[in-house]
Amino acid sequence: MKCNNIYKVFVMVAVALLGFSSCNDFLTIYPTDKTIAEDFWKTKSDVQEMVNGAYKSMTSYDNQERAIIWGAFRSDELVKYNDYSSSALDNINAVNLLPSNGYNSWASFYSTINRCNIVLAHAADVMAVDPSFTEGDYQAARAQMLALRSLCYFYLVRTFRDVPYTTQSYEDDDQNMLVAQTTPDSLLQHCINDLEEAQGHILLTGGYGLHDWRNCGFFTLDAVNALLADIYLWRASMTKSQSDYQKCIEYADKVIQSKDTYYKTTKDDKVGGTGEKDPYHLLKGASAYIDIFVRGNSEESILEWNYYPGRYETSNGVDVGFNYALENAYYRTGSWNGNTHNYDFRNTGMLMASPIFNFYNENANTNQGQKVFGTTSDMRYWNCVYGGHNEEATQLEIRKMVSESFISSTTQTASETKSNDRSIGNAYQGYEQNWIVYRLTDIMLMKAEALVQTAASDSDKVTLEQAFNLVQYVNKRSISEDGIQKGDTLKLANFTSKDDMELLVLAERERELCFEGKRWYDLVRYCYRHMDGVDINSKLADQTSWPKLYSPMLKLIVRKYMSGGDAVSYKMKGEPFLYWPILEGEIKVNKLLKQNPVYIDEKSTSKN
């Protein structure tokens, strides 16, 4: 009981402190109670509780909020709700990413990293005092923490580029916590090495048993391979490395094949009673939306941050949480008052879908396309926002991950899609919506993106068709039956070059993964592939000049602005503008840090 009480104190203190801005040190790591090191690490359950605590910290409000702001809000898909007052969001929208902006804080991600490092520092010692904690148990726990730490670092390197990297656990006030930044090449390689080590000791898909939430809530081999595919795709886009693109394809194939094998061992491998072999086994129709975005932890899912009573809970009842960060971003239902959550369905979240979702455009798959969807036969067109079939709309309420219902008709009017089941919304007790980190269609489209880049030229029809087939498969599962009969599906003949296919993959990722925190990073990869002079072996602050941004990427970003897009585009002059500044409090405390050079001046985002 003593150990459990100490653990509860540690968790409560850490969670409470996560709410404060960084002002003490660069990591904002808060020392644990010193008695933890002396008295806590005694049993197998102690290790598991600390592993659970690391996963629990990943679901913190700050981490979830930043996954949305960093990965989605900076892109073309989201705008601030007009009636929501926030100078921080206004400045982000205007590309005034001032060092004082609280969204710059990386403290919550480093807190999760430190929890992983604490487990990695102490778990091995438990084998000497608890015979039930075997070498296999230790290696499994170690693999989990290596993978979770790598995910955190991957978020940070994509958001800030040059960030501090440490494997040391910080548990004492007397420790020196000042660490300099490392380059993207070095940090990404550290993550790859850790994930490759984790591969040999982590559970396979379904390893926790059929329908167990941990198959998605914890890292499995599929999740490790998905993260590796993502990291290789990111690095390849920065460096144009063909070998890294091939690695992305390799790891994506491992995930796809694993999902196929698992499906065939748990279900009939014939889909829909047609007898047709299906290599991907994607969910169809309404079941896809409900299983993925309402129930959560679907068959297609690979890794999710789980929000549900009992998740990560210890025998002594560690606090469980709900996903209020996602709720407040996409669907603000009232104020939190003690244990009573007041639902008011007339309100909306602080973020809205941008007007690129308000109508369809037949050129959606090209660089001239100003809208996301190319046909009303795509059921995602009706289900990602409320009132999307309205050319006049300048802001749209988000439906995806908010509504519990699925629109199955493609003949809705603008008023019908606005009000359809709007009164019931996602009326959970609390807000239990999971956040999906990786799911199968994401991996399929990663592979398609990499395949396009490995095509030798426009005449490499075999490779380009392989990429098209993946996109077509993802797209077609969302096309209504009448749409398929009418031929409202993608046509290979319309995509005759590498550039065409690259834009198709980018457009399909937006349709499939909108509001899931992917879009900004997709746009950055697209930008990097068309930039010359990128140096991932040196820090931005050490470079004397930086490559200019790719103009077509900027044109996509400014689509969400009804006016002022040219001014925003003008401000984003070079590579450093792809990243956030470091919070000013971190710079003041840690003299080893170097600010993103275009944000040196607090009052301006332009280098003097």
Side-chain angles (χ1 to χ4, degrees):
M1 183 63 70
K2 181 180 180 182
C3 289
N4 282 336
N5 285 337
I6 292 170
Y7 176 70
K8 282 187 69 177
V9 170
F10 165 66
V11 171
M12 290 171 65
V13 170
V15 170
L17 288 172
L18 277 175
F20 292 94
S21 297
S22 170
C23 58
N24 298 319
D25 56 77
F26 92 96
L27 292 177
T28 316
I29 296 301
Y30 304 97
T32 64
D33 189 317
K34 293 182 182 180
T35 59
I36 289 180
E38 300 167 4
D39 301 328
F40 182 76
W41 299 93
K42 300 296 183 184
T43 67
K44 179 178 180 179
S45 63
D46 290 343
V47 176
Q48 188 57 53
E49 286 180 358
M50 293 299 287
V51 169
N52 290 352
Y55 276 106
K56 172 64 179 173
S57 74
M58 196 69 201
T59 68
S60 72
Y61 188 101
D62 284 352
N63 278 348
Q64 175 65 89
E65 184 178 51
R66 278 152 183 75
I68 294 170
I69 300 297
W70 293 351
F73 182 64
R74 280 201 74 188
S75 75
D76 53 344
E77 68 182 16
L78 291 175
V79 294
K80 183 180 74 68
Y81 177 45
N82 284 336
D83 291 345
Y84 182 79
S85 178
S86 171
S87 59
L89 293 178
D90 287 337
N91 277 321
I92 295 169
N93 247 2
V95 197
N96 294 323
L97 303 185
L98 302 178
S100 58
N101 192 317
Y103 289 115
N104 299 352
S105 175
W106 55 31
S108 57
F109 278 90
Y110 274 113
S111 180
T112 301
I113 288 169
N114 194 52
R115 288 172 180 266
C116 295
N117 287 341
I118 288 172
V119 175
L120 293 168
H122 294 287
D125 298 336
V126 177
M127 288 187 289
V129 293
D130 184 357
S132 70
F133 187 62
T134 65
E135 175 70 22
D137 294 328
Y138 163 67
Q139 291 295 346
R142 177 176 171 80
Q144 292 282 332
M145 297 297 91
L146 290 174
L148 184 57
R149 185 176 70 185
S150 296
L151 176 63
C152 291
Y153 275 126
F154 190 45
Y155 267 103
L156 293 171
V157 74
R158 288 180 297 171
T159 305
F160 297 95
R161 192 186 190 274
D162 308 323
V163 299
Y165 177 82
T166 181
T167 60
Q168 182 179 358
S169 63
Y170 294 97
E171 307 171 62
D172 193 298
D173 283 317
D174 297 329
Q175 288 178 267
N176 178 9
M177 292 183 274
L178 304 184
V179 179
Q181 292 140 294
T182 189
T183 62
D185 183 63
S186 177
L187 189 146
L188 292 172
Q189 190 59 52
H190 282 308
C191 292
I192 289 170
N193 294 343
D194 284 348
L195 291 166
E196 287 178 343
E197 178 184 340
Q199 283 178 313
H201 304 285
I202 210 152
L203 287 179
L204 301 177
T205 295
Y208 291 98
L210 196 63
H211 306 307
D212 192 303
W213 69 273
R214 291 173 296 178
N215 290 320
C216 295
F218 285 0
F219 267 91
T220 62
L221 183 58
D222 280 356
V224 168
N225 288 334
L227 180 52
L228 277 165
D230 208 1
I231 290 174
Y232 274 114
L233 183 59
W234 182 267
R235 192 169 72 175
S237 300
M238 294 185 79
T239 64
K240 303 177 180 62
S241 166
Q242 287 296 301
S243 62
D244 278 358
Y245 281 124
Q246 290 292 348
K247 278 290 189 180
C248 172
I249 295 169
E250 174 188 331
Y251 283 114
D253 278 337
K254 288 179 183 293
V255 175
I256 293 167
Q257 292 163 9
S258 173
K259 281 287 191 181
D260 182 36
T261 299
Y262 180 70
Y263 187 95
K264 290 177 179 177
T265 59
T266 57
K267 291 190 173 185
D268 183 3
D269 65 335
K270 296 176 182 179
V271 175
T274 64
E276 180 182 356
K277 296 289 183 178
D278 185 337
Y280 306 111
H281 316 289
L282 299 184
L283 297 163
K284 301 297 189 292
S287 63
Y289 180 91
I290 299 299
D291 285 356
I292 295 170
F293 301 116
V294 179
R295 296 192 184 102
N297 299 322
S298 73
E299 294 172 2
E300 290 185 24
S301 195
I302 297 166
L303 183 64
E304 299 188 12
W305 299 348
N306 270 248
Y307 296 86
Y308 187 79
R311 302 296 196 244
Y312 319 111
E313 188 174 5
T314 70
S315 59
N316 205 39
V318 169
D319 175 59
V320 297
F322 299 107
N323 198 349
Y324 293 125
L326 187 146
E327 177 192 40
N328 290 338
Y330 292 164
Y331 188 52
R332 179 166 48 84
T333 56
S335 60
W336 175 249
N337 181 16
N339 294 320
T340 302
H341 203 57
N342 300 315
Y343 291 96
D344 181 355
F345 298 101
R346 295 168 298 177
N347 291 336
T348 186
M350 65 181 186
L351 305 180
M352 303 278 277
S354 78
I356 64 175
F357 291 93
N358 69 352
F359 211 68
Y360 67 97
N361 185 306
E362 294 180 356
N363 293 319
N365 299 303
T366 72
N367 57 9
Q368 284 81 36
Q370 295 300 307
K371 305 298 177 183
V372 173
F373 293 98
T375 173
T376 58
S377 297
D378 192 327
M379 297 313 303
R380 296 168 299 186
Y381 172 75
W382 302 98
N383 285 282
C384 70
V385 298
Y386 288 100
H389 198 54
N390 180 358
E391 287 185 277
E392 305 303 318
T394 59
Q395 293 192 334
L396 301 103
E397 295 179 50
I398 295 170
R399 181 187 181 94
K400 185 177 181 180
M401 293 180 282
V402 169
S403 175
E404 289 183 300
S405 65
F406 174 86
I407 294 179
S408 57
S409 171
T410 61
T411 60
Q412 302 284 318
T413 66
S415 60
E416 286 172 335
T417 57
K418 175 68 176 178
S419 61
N420 188 285
D421 293 328
R422 186 67 179 87
S423 61
I424 63 170
N426 198 339
Y428 295 138
Q429 179 64 36
Y431 199 81
E432 301 163 5
Q433 178 65 55
N434 287 355
W435 181 254
I436 301 172
V437 181
Y438 292 117
R439 54 191 180 96
L440 183 55
T441 52
D442 185 4
I443 306 306
M444 293 167 66
L445 294 173
M446 283 186 202
K447 179 182 176 182
E449 186 175 325
L451 279 168
V452 172
Q453 299 309 312
T454 61
S457 66
D458 292 348
S459 61
D460 187 351
K461 302 302 182 184
V462 173
T463 304
L464 293 177
E465 186 171 354
Q466 288 176 342
F468 174 83
N469 288 340
L470 285 161
V471 175
Q472 172 75 306
Y473 202 97
V474 173
N475 182 275
K476 194 173 182 179
R477 77 96 166 254
S478 294
I479 302 299
S480 62
E481 290 185 8
D482 62 326
I484 292 176
Q485 292 174 1
K486 291 188 299 182
D488 286 347
T489 55
L490 300 172
K491 306 295 190 297
L492 178 60
N494 294 334
F495 308 97
T496 59
S497 68
K498 286 183 64 172
D499 288 344
D500 290 344
M501 205 66 72
E502 180 182 33
L503 287 169
L504 171 64
V505 176
L506 185 65
E508 187 62 29
R509 284 186 63 85
E510 172 67 343
R511 288 187 284 266
E512 178 69 12
L513 304 168
C514 62
F515 318 137
E516 296 182 47
K518 305 285 184 178
R519 179 62 171 176
W520 176 256
Y521 303 128
D522 288 354
L523 290 174
V524 173
R525 288 198 311 274
Y526 174 57
C527 187
Y528 266 128
R529 287 196 294 267
H530 298 275
M531 291 167 58
D532 294 323
V534 176
D535 183 3
I536 69 170
N537 292 296
S538 66
K539 303 169 191 176
L540 289 175
D542 294 335
Q543 299 175 22
T544 56
S545 63
W546 312 287
K548 293 182 179 180
L549 301 185
Y550 184 47
S551 178
M553 179 263 201
L554 295 177
K555 290 180 180 178
L556 288 173
I557 293 174
V558 302
R559 291 191 303 169
K560 69 179 180 179
Y561 300 99
M562 301 306 292
S563 63
D566 290 340
V568 172
S569 179
Y570 174 76
K571 288 183 180 181
M572 298 187 68
K573 300 175 183 178
E575 184 185 3
F577 285 99
L578 296 174
Y579 299 98
W580 292 70
I582 300 171
L583 192 67
E584 61 182 354
E586 307 286 7
I587 296 289
K588 291 177 181 178
V589 172
N590 182 3
K591 302 304 181 183
L592 298 179
L593 295 178
K594 295 181 178 181
Q595 182 61 275
N596 184 321
V598 297
Y599 305 115
I600 295 296
D601 184 350
E602 166 65 15
K603 298 180 181 179
S604 171
T605 59
S606 298
K607 185 176 175 65
N608 293 328

